[in-house]
Amino acid sequence: MRGPLLLCLALLAGCGDRPTLETVLERGVLIVGTEPEFPPFESKNEKGEIVGFDMDMAKELAKDLGVKLRIEGMPFETLPTALRGGQIDLIVSGMTAKPERAKTVSFSDIYYETVLCLLVHTGSGIEKAADADGKRIAVKTGTTGADVAKELFKKATLIPFPAEGACALEVATGRADAFLYDRHSILRHHKNTPDTTRVIDEPLNAEPYAMACRLGDTEFVGRLNSFLRAFRADGRYAKLYEQYFGEPPPAR
Ligand code: GLN
């Protein structure tokens, strides 16, 4: 009786989890989970390979660990479950480190900072962010944009889609009045549809991006952070940032 009881308690406490670093080094492969629909952080190229800022950073991390990199593409919403289930070792997916999520995953230090803002249809009548309340707002399921839209625009009708492309299209065609999302994406969608959309460039929420590993794996978090420190200190981060964003990273 005592054996099974102790085992149950250990599992409940998460003691059954093997430290990620041990698993990765033994396997010789780091398995990173991402949703490849978030350029320039992750997207599929013509050959179907998953590429982008996050993926190049993950390559450097794997190199530093002395292991190979395997990238698993999946819907954004399913990443934390895949991490908990051991299908992936790490999430690198433009994921915002927000307190709510820190209850289910452990975050590394921040590697990119942006804000949320609105893409609006030119005929929506939205001049400032507050005008979006009571309107039809497209949101990407499972993202911070969806959560913040719910909090800020209580009278709005939220229209959820699994992919950002669908949200932006709703706005461009006028089926939705607005789309609340990460600023670099909003600017890109506006560039693609300059005649029917506008950007309301008011920062509605801070969005610090971090890598996420299994909850409580402090050893792996420490290793991720020592990687990030070295990656910044030796200039690799600045080089990659310039390559993808066309400007040097902001001073810290
Ligand atoms: N940064 C946003 C979030 O964490 C969106 C990320 C994404 O769509 N990949 O919710």
Side-chain angles (χ1 to χ4, degrees):
M1 190 61 216
R2 268 190 84 182
L5 184 67
L6 285 178
L7 182 68
C8 283
L9 287 175
L11 286 175
L12 276 176
C15 304
D17 285 352
R18 234 178 126 205
T20 305
L21 195 54
E22 208 178 285
T23 310
V24 168
L25 294 179
E26 202 179 285
R27 197 199 290 127
V29 179
L30 171 71
I31 309 174
V32 164
T34 196
E35 182 208 42
E37 299 209 21
F38 195 55
F41 290 89
E42 41 270 331
S43 59
K44 282 194 179 158
N45 65 14
E46 319 76 52
K47 290 191 218 143
E49 298 156 341
I50 303 179
V51 295
F53 180 96
D54 281 347
M55 301 303 102
D56 284 349
M57 183 173 72
K59 258 182 225 160
E60 293 301 318
L61 169 64
K63 219 189 277 171
D64 278 20
L65 293 172
V67 298
K68 291 209 177 76
L69 175 67
R70 195 166 100 205
I71 301 169
E72 295 282 347
M74 61 189 77
F76 188 72
E77 264 195 301
T78 64
L79 288 164
T81 314
L83 181 67
R84 271 197 303 279
Q87 284 151 261
I88 57 176
D89 303 310
L90 185 67
I91 300 173
V92 190
S93 200
M95 184 175 270
T96 302
K98 61 170 202 156
E100 217 19 63
R101 286 181 180 150
K103 289 178 191 160
T104 56
V105 299
S106 285
F107 284 110
S108 71
D109 288 342
I110 305 309
Y111 66 84
Y112 182 83
E113 287 181 81
T114 186
V115 292
L116 293 182
C117 71
L118 289 167
L119 180 76
V120 301
H121 187 256
T122 37
S124 65
I126 302 175
E127 298 296 330
K128 52 185 189 321
D131 300 337
D133 210 1
K135 303 276 184 180
R136 297 162 302 165
I137 306 180
V139 291
K140 177 173 156 186
T141 320
T143 64
T144 45
D147 295 339
V148 172
K150 209 185 284 170
E151 277 163 35
L152 285 186
F153 307 120
K154 296 222 162 34
K155 292 192 292 240
T157 306
L158 301 190
I159 317 171
F161 290 96
E164 66 170 74
C167 296
L169 186 66
E170 282 303 278
V171 174
T173 54
R175 284 193 298 261
D177 298 302
F179 171 31
L180 181 60
Y181 203 42
D182 303 49
R183 186 171 181 272
H184 58 85
S185 281
I186 292 296
L187 297 181
R188 183 170 39 82
H189 287 298
H190 169 60
K191 240 188 187 169
N192 294 339
T193 51
D195 299 334
T196 51
T197 66
R198 280 194 307 125
V199 177
I200 306 292
D201 214 352
E202 278 177 51
L204 294 181
N205 197 50
E207 299 286 315
Y209 295 179
M211 297 184 268
C213 67
R214 271 186 282 285
L215 186 66
D217 194 341
T218 47
E219 182 198 30
F220 200 38
V221 170
R223 190 62 188 81
L224 294 173
N225 291 343
S226 67
F227 158 73
L228 284 174
R229 277 193 298 275
F231 181 57
R232 280 187 192 265
D234 64 19
R236 279 177 292 171
Y237 174 80
K239 206 171 145 215
L240 202 60
Y241 195 103
E242 292 219 33
Q243 181 190 328
Y244 281 96
F245 303 106
E247 58 185 18
R252 302 200 315 149

